[in-house]
Amino acid sequence: MHTVRVWDLPTRLFHWALAACIVGLVVTGNIGGNWMNWHLRLGYAVLTLLLFRLVWGLVGGRWSRFSSFLYSPGSLLRYLRGQGDISHSVGHSPLGALSVFALLAVLLLQVGTGLVSDDEIAFSGPLVRFVSGDTIASATGYHKNIGKFIVMGLVVLHLLAILFYKLVQKQSLVRPMVVGDKQLNVAAPDARDSAGSRLLALVVLGICAGVVRWVVNLGAFAGY
């Protein structure tokens, strides 16, 4: 068996922070009232995390980069037939990659519609003043109904996949996302997870937080 560093620390922290924020968003969104202030803050946090992941998918550790799990349709079909390559067991498998891209896209759409949503009671996204009333109505309807359930559905599928791999494939997907290492039957390159790469991740996160703050403040500045 070979011990391989698959998930660098920034990727692991992103994963668990995103999971916590999604739970918080579902809870605060359903409670409503004054909790909507936290719903907004968590939404901004999720947008920051998503922007970070998009950048980290280009410059992060080897197995966190999108290039390591961009599979062709043929690779996906072979994997579903049980004919996957041994490299599929290192980072994201073709099916796991599909889940990652779907979740990122759905979350970006959910956060984006939240920025231009208005419940006409107490909640108003920071960018509503930049779009038409029809756009606000459509975005609000999607955000509060369709989008919310799609996100919850993908989360449930993600949890079911974890159980499937644990019970059927006898592979733990949770432990590597906690400690970073995987025990593999074949040797594989380690992901870069040095002090320098972690510092880079912190800088990227700070820049992404600054971008989100700027976007959110656009509405406030336009109100003067």
Side-chain angles (χ1 to χ4, degrees), residues 172-184:
S172 174
L173 299 182
V174 176
R175 187 177 185 280
M177 193 55 75
V178 174
V179 301
D181 297 333
K182 268 189 179 182
Q183 298 294 320
L184 301 172

PDB file of all heavy atoms in Angstrom, residues 172-184:
ATOM      1  N   SER A 172     -13.313   4.608   1.986  1.00  0.00           N
ATOM      2  CA  SER A 172     -13.777   5.759   2.766  1.00  0.00           C
ATOM      3  C   SER A 172     -13.433   7.043   2.023  1.00  0.00           C
ATOM      4  O   SER A 172     -12.270   7.308   1.729  1.00  0.00           O
ATOM      5  CB  SER A 172     -13.110   5.769   4.150  1.00  0.00           C
ATOM      6  OG  SER A 172     -13.441   6.954   4.846  1.00  0.00           O
ATOM      7  N   LEU A 173     -14.455   7.828   1.717  1.00  0.00           N
ATOM      8  CA  LEU A 173     -14.228   9.117   1.070  1.00  0.00           C
ATOM      9  C   LEU A 173     -14.084  10.232   2.102  1.00  0.00           C
ATOM     10  O   LEU A 173     -13.592  11.310   1.777  1.00  0.00           O
ATOM     11  CB  LEU A 173     -15.395   9.449   0.133  1.00  0.00           C
ATOM     12  CG  LEU A 173     -15.651   8.477  -1.017  1.00  0.00           C
ATOM     13  CD1 LEU A 173     -16.800   8.980  -1.884  1.00  0.00           C
ATOM     14  CD2 LEU A 173     -14.407   8.263  -1.851  1.00  0.00           C
ATOM     15  N   VAL A 174     -14.531   9.958   3.331  1.00  0.00           N
ATOM     16  CA  VAL A 174     -14.511  10.985   4.365  1.00  0.00           C
ATOM     17  C   VAL A 174     -13.122  11.138   4.971  1.00  0.00           C
ATOM     18  O   VAL A 174     -12.620  12.261   5.129  1.00  0.00           O
ATOM     19  CB  VAL A 174     -15.537  10.663   5.474  1.00  0.00           C
ATOM     20  CG1 VAL A 174     -15.439  11.674   6.603  1.00  0.00           C
ATOM     21  CG2 VAL A 174     -16.945  10.660   4.898  1.00  0.00           C
ATOM     22  N   ARG A 175     -12.496  10.021   5.327  1.00  0.00           N
ATOM     23  CA  ARG A 175     -11.195  10.098   6.011  1.00  0.00           C
ATOM     24  C   ARG A 175     -10.142  10.852   5.203  1.00  0.00           C
ATOM     25  O   ARG A 175      -9.453  11.725   5.745  1.00  0.00           O
ATOM     26  CB  ARG A 175     -10.689   8.694   6.350  1.00  0.00           C
ATOM     27  CG  ARG A 175      -9.429   8.708   7.218  1.00  0.00           C
ATOM     28  CD  ARG A 175      -8.979   7.307   7.595  1.00  0.00           C
ATOM     29  NE  ARG A 175      -7.859   7.366   8.510  1.00  0.00           N
ATOM     30  CZ  ARG A 175      -6.594   7.573   8.143  1.00  0.00           C
ATOM     31  NH1 ARG A 175      -6.312   7.748   6.846  1.00  0.00           N
ATOM     32  NH2 ARG A 175      -5.622   7.626   9.030  1.00  0.00           N
ATOM     33  N   PRO A 176      -9.984  10.580   3.889  1.00  0.00           N
ATOM     34  CA  PRO A 176      -8.999  11.355   3.120  1.00  0.00           C
ATOM     35  C   PRO A 176      -9.303  12.851   3.099  1.00  0.00           C
ATOM     36  O   PRO A 176      -8.381  13.665   3.038  1.00  0.00           O
ATOM     37  CB  PRO A 176      -9.088  10.746   1.715  1.00  0.00           C
ATOM     38  CG  PRO A 176      -9.605   9.374   1.929  1.00  0.00           C
ATOM     39  CD  PRO A 176     -10.558   9.488   3.082  1.00  0.00           C
ATOM     40  N   MET A 177     -10.592  13.212   3.166  1.00  0.00           N
ATOM     41  CA  MET A 177     -10.935  14.627   3.161  1.00  0.00           C
ATOM     42  C   MET A 177     -10.702  15.262   4.526  1.00  0.00           C
ATOM     43  O   MET A 177     -10.738  16.480   4.662  1.00  0.00           O
ATOM     44  CB  MET A 177     -12.399  14.810   2.729  1.00  0.00           C
ATOM     45  CG  MET A 177     -12.776  16.237   2.383  1.00  0.00           C
ATOM     46  SD  MET A 177     -11.712  17.018   1.110  1.00  0.00           S
ATOM     47  CE  MET A 177     -12.293  16.228  -0.393  1.00  0.00           C
ATOM     48  N   VAL A 178     -10.411  14.434   5.519  1.00  0.00           N
ATOM     49  CA  VAL A 178     -10.068  14.938   6.849  1.00  0.00           C
ATOM     50  C   VAL A 178      -8.557  15.014   7.026  1.00  0.00           C
ATOM     51  O   VAL A 178      -8.016  16.048   7.429  1.00  0.00           O
ATOM     52  CB  VAL A 178     -10.686  14.047   7.951  1.00  0.00           C
ATOM     53  CG1 VAL A 178     -10.193  14.491   9.333  1.00  0.00           C
ATOM     54  CG2 VAL A 178     -12.199  14.108   7.904  1.00  0.00           C
ATOM     55  N   VAL A 179      -7.875  13.917   6.720  1.00  0.00           N
ATOM     56  CA  VAL A 179      -6.422  13.856   6.953  1.00  0.00           C
ATOM     57  C   VAL A 179      -5.609  14.211   5.717  1.00  0.00           C
ATOM     58  O   VAL A 179      -4.423  14.539   5.818  1.00  0.00           O
ATOM     59  CB  VAL A 179      -6.010  12.459   7.468  1.00  0.00           C
ATOM     60  CG1 VAL A 179      -6.735  12.143   8.756  1.00  0.00           C
ATOM     61  CG2 VAL A 179      -6.285  11.379   6.426  1.00  0.00           C
ATOM     62  N   GLY A 180      -6.220  14.103   4.534  1.00  0.00           N
ATOM     63  CA  GLY A 180      -5.525  14.469   3.299  1.00  0.00           C
ATOM     64  C   GLY A 180      -4.912  13.316   2.542  1.00  0.00           C
ATOM     65  O   GLY A 180      -4.686  13.414   1.334  1.00  0.00           O
ATOM     66  N   ASP A 181      -4.636  12.193   3.235  1.00  0.00           N
ATOM     67  CA  ASP A 181      -3.936  11.064   2.615  1.00  0.00           C
ATOM     68  C   ASP A 181      -4.883   9.924   2.268  1.00  0.00           C
ATOM     69  O   ASP A 181      -5.912   9.731   2.929  1.00  0.00           O
ATOM     70  CB  ASP A 181      -2.853  10.525   3.541  1.00  0.00           C
ATOM     71  CG  ASP A 181      -1.766  11.545   3.823  1.00  0.00           C
ATOM     72  OD1 ASP A 181      -1.551  12.435   2.973  1.00  0.00           O
ATOM     73  OD2 ASP A 181      -1.134  11.460   4.897  1.00  0.00           O
ATOM     74  N   LYS A 182      -4.497   9.179   1.236  1.00  0.00           N
ATOM     75  CA  LYS A 182      -5.198   7.963   0.851  1.00  0.00           C
ATOM     76  C   LYS A 182      -4.224   6.794   0.825  1.00  0.00           C
ATOM     77  O   LYS A 182      -3.049   6.956   0.484  1.00  0.00           O
ATOM     78  CB  LYS A 182      -5.819   8.114  -0.544  1.00  0.00           C
ATOM     79  CG  LYS A 182      -7.231   8.609  -0.589  1.00  0.00           C
ATOM     80  CD  LYS A 182      -7.784   8.506  -2.008  1.00  0.00           C
ATOM     81  CE  LYS A 182      -9.228   8.984  -2.068  1.00  0.00           C
ATOM     82  NZ  LYS A 182      -9.797   8.835  -3.444  1.00  0.00           N
ATOM     83  N   GLN A 183      -4.732   5.628   1.185  1.00  0.00           N
ATOM     84  CA  GLN A 183      -3.968   4.407   1.045  1.00  0.00           C
ATOM     85  C   GLN A 183      -4.330   3.767  -0.289  1.00  0.00           C
ATOM     86  O   GLN A 183      -5.473   3.375  -0.502  1.00  0.00           O
ATOM     87  CB  GLN A 183      -4.271   3.450   2.193  1.00  0.00           C
ATOM     88  CG  GLN A 183      -3.914   3.977   3.574  1.00  0.00           C
ATOM     89  CD  GLN A 183      -2.408   4.151   3.745  1.00  0.00           C
ATOM     90  OE1 GLN A 183      -1.614   3.316   3.289  1.00  0.00           O
ATOM     91  NE2 GLN A 183      -2.006   5.235   4.392  1.00  0.00           N
ATOM     92  N   LEU A 184      -3.345   3.673  -1.202  1.00  0.00           N
ATOM     93  CA  LEU A 184      -3.606   3.186  -2.548  1.00  0.00           C
ATOM     94  C   LEU A 184      -2.776   1.953  -2.859  1.00  0.00           C
ATOM     95  O   LEU A 184      -1.693   1.752  -2.290  1.00  0.00           O
ATOM     96  CB  LEU A 184      -3.284   4.275  -3.575  1.00  0.00           C
ATOM     97  CG  LEU A 184      -4.069   5.591  -3.430  1.00  0.00           C
ATOM     98  CD1 LEU A 184      -3.505   6.630  -4.380  1.00  0.00           C
ATOM     99  CD2 LEU A 184      -5.545   5.363  -3.687  1.00  0.00           C
TER     100      LEU A 184
END
